[in-house]
Amino acid sequence: MATTLGHRTERKSFAKRISSHLAAALVIFCLLQIFIVAKMGGSLALHLGIIIAIGGYAIAARGLERRWQMLERGGLSQSGLSLRYRRDLLQLWAASLVGALLWIPVAIIFRFLFG
């Protein structure tokens, strides 16, 4: 009955779900970095640092996407995938938020050294 009404009972694959979280985490990561550096009186060097940090984040995100594509093809049980998915989500969001907040001490040190 549910399929005749157009509702799917299947969930999105873990790879697609992690990809959605990666996109959202990247946006939050970028916005936090820009906001923090702007509030700390960011210079050109700090803004170039943001570009490098975002590039590094994008490379790591692509690696995580590939990992999940391989894990889904690997034939693990649903519970095994679910456990890994929750762990990776926790690490992803922690890295996005903490990584952006690392600009605070960097900006303070930069301001102290270069005025």
Side-chain angles (χ1 to χ4, degrees), residues 5 27 37 53 57-58 62 76 81 92 99 109:
L5 296 175
V27 169
V37 168
Y57 186 97
R62 183 61 189 137
L76 289 173
L81 285 172
L92 167 67
I109 292 169

Side-chain angles (χ1 to χ4, degrees), residues 53-91:
I54 292 170
Y57 186 97
I59 291 169
R62 183 61 189 137
L64 187 59
E65 280 182 327
R66 284 189 190 133
R67 176 180 182 263
W68 273 97
Q69 291 168 355
M70 291 174 58
L71 279 173
E72 283 193 333
R73 284 187 240 131
L76 289 173
S77 68
Q78 193 70 13
S79 63
L81 285 172
S82 180
L83 179 66
R84 285 174 174 79
Y85 177 76
R86 285 191 306 265
R87 184 193 65 212
D88 281 357
L89 272 187
L90 181 64
Q91 291 174 349

Side-chain angles (χ1 to χ4, degrees), residues 19-34:
S19 183
S20 297
H21 278 279
L22 279 167
L26 179 59
V27 169
I28 297 298
F29 180 73
C30 293
L31 290 175
L32 279 173
Q33 284 190 32
I34 292 167

